[in-house]
Amino acid sequence: MSRSALPLNAIHAFLVTARHLNLTRAASELCITQGAVSRKIATLESWLGFPLFARHARGLHLTEQGAALLPELQQGYAMLVNATEKASRSNASIRLKAPTCAMRWLVPRLVALEQQRPEIHVALTTTLDHASQLENYDAAIVFGTPPAGSIRLFDERLTPVLGSNITPPVGISDLARFTFLHPTNDSRDWQMWLADQAATVPMARNQHFATMDLAISAAIQGFGATVADVTLVQNDLANGRLIAPFANSVATGAAYSLLQCAEQDAPPFLPDLVAWLCQPQNETHSSALADFD
C-alpha cells in the first residue's frame, strides 16, 4: 500500500474500538458490522506494519505498540475534526428569527450589514409569534416583556401615521374622518394613544390587521390612519412614505429584545451581528462599522 494513502476511516475505527475495547459496541457507534470494523483495523495494521489489538478471552486489549500510538492518533484526529468543523462554521449562516412586525426596522439594517460585511451571512426566518423564544435559532428578536438574559433593542412607542398623499388631520378630533387601521384584532393600541391625549374620537370606520406591518402598509397606500411604533416607521417617515401629524407618542410598556445562543454554540460573526443590531438608533451604519475594525 502506498504510504501516501493514509487510511483515515481505518484510524477512526481504531480510535472508536480502542475506546470501547469491544467490537460490538464499536460497530454500533460506527453503524457498520463487526466484520467491517475488523477489516478497517486490519487495513490500518497493514499500513503500519504491526498489530494494534490482541484478542483475549475477556475481549480486546491494545498491544504495546497500539497503546503507544493511541494518544498521538487521538490528538491528531481531534485536530483534524476541529479544523474541518471550524472551516465549515466559517461558511455557516447565522440563523435569525424575528416577528414580521419588526421587518421595517430589521431589514434595512441587515441590508446595510451585508453591504459593509459581505462575509456575514444571515438566514432570516419570520414568525407571527411575537413572544416566541430562541428555540433552535442562533438569535431571535422577540416582542413584549424582555426575557431574562435578553438585550433590549428599543421600547415600543405609538403615534398616529398616515400616507403622505392624504391631507393630514388638523387636530385630534379630525381623525374621525379617517378609516382607523388597527394593528390588532381590537382597538387597544388606538385607545391607548387617545387615552394618553385625554381625547375621545368616534371610530366610524375600522379595519383590523394581523400585524402592525400590514396596518402600516395599508396606511402608506392611503387606506386610512394607523398607530405605529415610532422606531419601526423611522425610515418611512424619513423617506416621505408616511407622515406623523402629531408629536405625541405613548409608551406601551412592551419592547423589542434580542436573544442569542450560548457562546460555545454560537456561529462565527454572531457577536458582530448582535453589536450591529444593538447600535443606538441615531448612529449611522458607518460609525457602527468602526466598532468592528
Side-chain angles (χ1 to χ4, degrees):
M1 180 180 295
S2 169
R3 301 301 294 176
S4 63
L6 181 64
L8 292 177
N9 285 336
I11 291 174
H12 185 213
F14 165 64
L15 295 175
V16 172
T17 305
R19 177 157 32 87
H20 291 293
L21 290 177
N22 182 287
L23 287 175
T24 301
R25 289 198 290 270
S28 177
E29 179 176 331
L30 294 167
C31 298
I32 57 178
T33 65
Q34 292 184 45
V37 175
S38 296
R39 286 191 292 274
K40 288 180 181 295
I41 292 173
T43 297
L44 181 57
E45 289 175 331
S46 176
W47 194 91
L48 292 168
F50 56 81
L52 297 168
F53 294 101
R55 290 182 178 271
H56 296 278
R58 295 184 179 181
L60 296 177
H61 292 275
L62 285 164
T63 64
E64 184 177 344
Q65 290 170 299
L69 180 64
L70 179 61
E72 292 189 57
L73 282 185
Q74 287 174 325
Q75 182 180 10
Y77 195 81
M79 291 176 63
L80 179 64
V81 170
N82 289 339
T84 53
E85 287 183 348
K86 182 178 180 180
S88 175
R89 286 197 304 269
S90 66
N91 244 353
S93 296
I94 301 171
R95 299 166 300 167
L96 173 64
K97 180 179 64 173
T100 55
C101 58
M103 290 302 102
R104 309 188 90 83
W105 176 87
L106 177 61
V107 170
R109 281 159 177 75
L110 293 182
V111 171
L113 176 61
E114 183 179 7
Q115 292 171 348
Q116 299 285 0
R117 300 287 301 277
E119 73 275 18
I120 301 178
H121 305 284
V122 179
L124 177 62
T125 298
T126 59
T127 176
L128 293 176
D129 185 0
H130 296 174
S132 61
Q133 297 296 301
L134 190 61
E135 297 171 343
N136 62 336
Y137 291 86
D138 301 313
I141 294 174
V142 296
F143 173 74
T145 302
S150 65
I151 301 171
R152 200 184 198 103
L153 295 173
F154 57 91
D155 295 327
E156 183 181 53
R157 296 192 65 89
L158 300 179
T159 194
V161 295
L162 62 160
S164 55
N165 59 339
I166 298 179
T167 303
V170 177
I172 293 178
S173 61
D174 197 28
L175 285 168
R177 67 183 173 89
F178 295 96
T179 297
F180 285 83
L181 309 176
H182 300 278
T184 60
N185 59 5
D186 55 27
S187 61
R188 67 180 184 270
D189 287 347
W190 265 113
Q191 296 292 359
M192 184 181 297
W193 185 83
L194 289 169
D196 191 65
Q197 315 314 308
T200 301
V201 177
M203 299 183 185
R205 297 181 303 278
N206 300 273
Q207 290 289 339
H208 296 270
F209 296 88
T211 68
M212 182 174 288
D213 187 61
L214 291 174
I216 293 170
S217 296
I220 290 174
Q221 296 177 61
F223 291 162
T226 188
V227 281
D229 176 75
V230 294
T231 301
L232 294 184
V233 295
Q234 201 171 58
N235 285 339
D236 296 305
L237 293 171
N239 294 328
R241 290 187 291 267
L242 287 172
I243 57 174
F246 307 107
N248 297 336
S249 62
V250 59
T252 66
Y256 289 85
S257 305
L258 181 66
L259 290 166
Q260 57 182 311
C261 65
E263 183 179 355
Q264 64 269 22
D265 301 323
F269 303 122
L270 178 59
D272 302 70
L273 173 64
V274 170
W276 183 270
L277 295 180
C278 291
Q279 289 298 315
Q281 298 303 301
N282 60 350
E283 290 192 17
T284 64
H285 289 306
S286 58
S287 64
L289 180 62
D291 291 337
F292 298 128
D293 292 340

